[in-house]
């Protein structure tokens, strides 16, 4: 497993832009922690914890959960030892206040962000990808009914578990999530550009994306 030189990363991009897929590809090559706030929240909902109950309806409708709730979860996850080798924050921050909370949390941990990796994908393509997306219940591998079909319908190639469609990947909710992204998350592009942290990935095949990552971050 390789280690990155620029290792503390935020993945910034719309839902369906490929943050989860590229994270999974990176985990195969690099020693790095993957922190997906969406995954953490879905696990809380499944367990029906107080945080999960608070988040459930908001997630179903494609709205963001409160900044404080998600920032607290991220802060405690960043303090875990595996994050010392580097981390991918996938889906966090999503608002400017979250970015400020993150900056503070990292400062308290004696570290800082090295790069904000931006995913730039046109809206029409995002809608196509989201509504055809299938996720594995077992290993979190991500498939697509059009572009990346599993060998056997509804079954994960990697671990054999069942594939499912996320409740928020319906057309209606996908559209709301994109609107939320443009309004609340896109301002972070300016925030991080001003700090000189932005690196934009090519909207290309996996091989090209991984080569660009190696060149920029290794
Ligand atoms: P994701 O898997 O990243 O697309 O997240 C799924 C849903 O979880 C989002 O639509 C939000 O409702 C919620 N969520 C995930 N990350 C955040 C965040 N950083 N801030 C607020 N809500 C979030």
């Amino acid at each position: 497993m390789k280690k990155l030189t620029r290792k503390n990363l935020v993945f910034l991009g719309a839902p369906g832009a490929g943050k989860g897929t590229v994270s999974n590809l990176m985990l195969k090559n690099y020693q790095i922690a993957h922190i997906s706030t969406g995954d953490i929240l879905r696990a809380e909902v499944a367990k029906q914890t107080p945080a999960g109950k608070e988040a459930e309806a908001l997630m179903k409708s494609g709205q963001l959960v409160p900044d404080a709730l998600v920032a607290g979860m991220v802060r405690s996850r960043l303090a875990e030892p595996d994050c010392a080798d580097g981390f991918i924050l996938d889906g966090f921050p999503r608002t400017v206040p979250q970015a400020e909370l993150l900056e503070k949390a990292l400062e308290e941990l004696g570290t800082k962000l090295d790069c904000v990796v931006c995913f730039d994908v046109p809206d029409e393509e995002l809608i196509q990808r989201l509504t055809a997306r299938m996720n594995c219940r077992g290993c979190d591998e991500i498939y697509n009914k059009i572009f990346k079909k599993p060998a056997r319908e509804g079954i994960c190639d990697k671990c054999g578990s069942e594939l499912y469609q996320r409740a928020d990947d319906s057309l209606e909710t996908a559209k709301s999530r994109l609107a939320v992204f443009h309004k609340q998350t896109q301002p972070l592009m300016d925030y991080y550009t001003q700090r000189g942290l932005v690196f934009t990935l090519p909207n290309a095949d996996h091989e090209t994306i991984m080569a660009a990552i190696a060149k920029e971050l290794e």
Side-chain angles (χ1 to χ4, degrees):
M1 282 285 184
K2 289 190 272 188
K3 289 194 184 179
L4 292 168
T5 308
R6 298 173 76 195
K7 60 187 177 64
N8 294 345
L9 312 174
V10 160
F11 276 11
L12 184 61
K19 303 185 297 295
T21 299
V22 174
S23 297
N24 286 344
L25 291 171
M26 284 186 71
L27 293 177
K28 290 184 187 152
N29 283 322
Y30 301 108
Q31 183 143 353
I32 194 160
H34 178 222
I35 307 172
S36 157
T37 44
D39 286 350
I40 296 173
L41 286 165
R42 279 185 287 279
E44 297 285 325
V45 171
K47 284 188 279 184
Q48 285 290 295
T49 61
K53 283 184 188 159
E54 190 179 343
E56 189 166 16
L58 291 164
M59 290 175 75
K60 242 182 209 147
S61 67
Q63 302 303 303
L64 297 184
V65 310
D67 290 335
L69 189 146
V70 69
M73 291 172 170
V74 171
R75 197 183 304 117
S76 45
R77 180 65 186 89
L78 283 171
E80 287 176 33
D82 62 325
C83 292
D85 289 326
F87 53 79
I88 299 169
L89 280 170
D90 165 1
F92 180 92
R94 262 174 152 100
T95 63
V96 171
Q98 286 182 18
E100 291 164 353
L101 287 168
L102 173 63
E103 211 166 293
K104 220 172 105 206
L106 290 174
E107 208 177 291
E108 282 165 14
L109 290 166
T111 186
K112 59 171 182 43
L113 282 184
D114 296 318
C115 188
V116 174
V117 179
C118 289
F119 293 68
D120 190 16
V121 179
D123 277 12
E124 311 81 69
E125 198 176 327
L126 292 169
I127 290 285
Q128 250 191 348
R129 287 193 197 174
L130 286 170
T131 52
R133 176 158 74 178
M134 300 292 289
N135 293 59
C136 174
R137 283 199 197 283
C139 71
D140 294 329
E141 186 74 359
I142 303 164
Y143 294 86
N144 183 290
K145 284 183 210 160
I146 305 160
F147 315 111
K148 190 191 169 198
K149 289 187 193 176
R152 277 187 302 159
E153 200 184 320
I155 306 288
C156 178
D157 294 344
K158 267 174 68 184
C159 77
S161 301
E162 182 197 15
L163 303 182
Y164 73 103
Q165 182 177 45
R166 279 173 45 174
D168 58 356
D169 278 345
S170 67
L171 179 60
E172 203 57 24
T173 312
K175 283 184 180 165
S176 330
R177 288 162 70 208
L178 278 190
V180 166
F181 169 77
H182 288 304
K183 188 155 177 269
Q184 294 182 264
T185 308
Q186 221 160 18
L188 283 177
M189 283 291 296
D190 286 339
Y191 180 92
Y192 284 125
T193 300
Q194 281 163 16
R195 284 157 178 75
L197 285 171
V198 168
F199 162 59
T200 302
L201 281 180
N203 182 23
D205 58 274
H206 292 168
E207 211 173 307
T208 309
I209 287 177
M210 292 313 286
I213 284 177
K215 188 158 172 257
E216 188 72 22
L217 306 176
E218 270 186 12

